[in-house]
Amino acid sequence: NQLDDWETADDLRLLCWETFRELAQQMQTLRYAKKHRTHILRIRKYVEENYHNPELSLNYLSNLFDINPKYLSKLFKDEIGEKFVDLLITHRIEKAKQLMMETDKPIQEISEEVGYTNYNSFNRAFKNVVGIAPSDYRKAI
């Protein structure tokens, strides 16, 4: 539409300038999005490899990767589609289920191995994710 609105070379020059500025802003936005996507994927990989660390938290990651914790939380939600804590809990519980199937280790030991220092916290998280207590899950498998 704007291409038809120019009457002088200066009008056309201004129109081209505005168009290039808009395109540059769009490219900058895409560059930022790609950079953040790459960054959050590195952080996610770190979480999946270090889920067993009981110190793992948004604050821990924000210090490690030099990112504001609130911003990191928003990146998780925007880029991965879930909250950091939900990703961590789900990963820990999946690993716990795997250990219960593959080993005879006591459940309390498994809870510590997947990053819980408090068995009651593990039990509560397991029930919330799986729907039954870890002991009942082990009996059922």
Side-chain angles (χ1 to χ4, degrees):
N1 290 342
Q2 291 182 351
L3 276 176
D4 297 334
D5 292 342
W6 65 279
E7 293 180 12
T8 67
D10 284 340
D11 291 344
L12 182 58
R13 189 176 299 117
L14 183 60
L15 178 64
C16 288
W17 180 251
E18 289 173 1
T19 302
F20 285 133
R21 191 166 2 117
E22 286 177 23
L23 288 172
Q25 287 175 341
Q26 289 175 8
M27 289 191 63
Q28 184 71 11
T29 301
L30 287 173
R31 243 186 258 132
Y32 262 177
K34 184 177 179 183
K35 178 183 172 186
H36 293 299
R37 179 94 177 129
T38 302
H39 208 62
I40 199 70
L41 290 176
R42 278 185 40 234
I43 294 170
R44 181 181 186 168
K45 184 177 184 207
Y46 181 88
V47 169
E48 290 172 353
E49 291 172 353
N50 295 277
Y51 66 91
H52 49 81
N53 179 352
E55 301 296 318
L56 199 56
S57 67
L58 272 177
N59 286 331
Y60 179 91
L61 292 172
S62 69
N63 288 334
L64 186 64
F65 289 94
D66 195 29
I67 298 176
N68 178 291
K70 287 183 180 180
Y71 183 66
L72 181 56
S73 177
K74 182 180 178 349
L75 274 179
F76 259 96
K77 188 70 174 152
D78 292 349
E79 295 293 329
I80 295 177
E82 63 182 321
K83 295 177 187 175
F84 161 76
V85 70
D86 293 338
L87 174 79
L88 180 60
I89 289 170
T90 300
H91 198 73
R92 284 177 170 171
I93 299 305
E94 287 304 313
K95 290 295 182 180
K97 286 168 51 180
Q98 181 181 355
L99 288 168
M100 280 187 237
M101 286 189 276
E102 296 173 356
T103 71
D104 291 329
K105 292 179 181 179
I107 294 174
Q108 182 143 358
E109 185 179 329
I110 290 173
S111 74
E112 291 170 3
E113 202 170 311
V114 298
Y116 285 90
T117 55
N118 182 310
Y119 178 74
N120 291 331
S121 295
F122 170 74
N123 197 38
R124 189 171 36 257
F126 195 97
K127 275 181 170 177
N128 285 339
V129 172
V130 181
I132 58 175
S135 56
D136 294 335
Y137 178 83
R138 180 167 254 175
K139 289 175 192 171
I141 54 175

